[in-house]
Amino acid sequence: VQLQASGGGLVQAGGSLRLSCAASGPNMDYHAMAWFCQAPGKQREWVSCINSAGSTHYADSVRGRFTISRDDAKSTVYLQMNAMKPEDTAVYYCAGDLGGDGSRVREDYDYWGQGTQVTVSS
């Protein structure tokens, strides 16, 4: 499966962005999907995940502000980001887990997209 992330950009604090991650190849219907982010000089961190049944989990730092969703008919996963903060600035990556139920662990994911830059100005 190949993933193509898009939707990043520059936004002011308090604004919103929606990231998309389109999958090509074998369908992702039974895969858990996730978003991670990596700020300059930091390790890649888990943001959110969604399993094949639609169950979602969020990092404490984004809960209540970000929403992950999936449209399997379009082979696309989304991350709606609201009430954004400067500390949300990072490259955002989507990832897929072939056999899991959703995980916070980077090593559990089997394939990754190329990343999309999100910058939040204060």
Side-chain angles (χ1 to χ4, degrees):
V1 181
Q2 292 184 325
L3 299 175
Q4 179 73 41
S6 61
L10 174 64
V11 64
Q12 288 188 334
S16 299
L17 281 176
R18 189 176 81 155
L19 305 183
S20 299
C21 177
S24 60
N27 70 60
M28 65 177 204
D29 293 12
Y30 299 102
H31 302 174
M33 303 298 294
W35 288 94
F36 287 74
C37 68
Q38 187 166 16
K42 294 187 177 181
Q43 291 191 340
R44 194 170 298 187
E45 299 180 342
W46 173 78
V47 175
S48 180
C49 63
I50 184 168
N51 69 11
S52 58
S55 178
T56 59
H57 300 277
Y58 298 94
D60 289 344
S61 60
V62 307
R63 187 176 293 112
R65 300 189 298 121
F66 290 10
T67 302
I68 190 171
S69 61
R70 62 191 297 161
D71 184 339
D72 290 334
K74 296 182 178 180
S75 295
T76 302
V77 177
Y78 303 97
L79 186 68
Q80 177 67 45
M81 304 185 293
N82 298 328
M84 297 185 71
K85 305 175 181 180
E87 50 263 43
D88 296 326
T89 295
V91 177
Y92 283 72
Y93 298 88
C94 54
D97 179 0
L98 293 172
D101 196 41
S103 167
R104 303 168 184 241
V105 179
R106 182 176 64 182
E107 289 76 13
D108 286 344
Y109 289 85
D110 300 295
Y111 54 96
W112 292 81
Q114 86 289 1
T116 184
Q117 176 70 47
V118 170
T119 304
V120 184
S121 62
S122 57

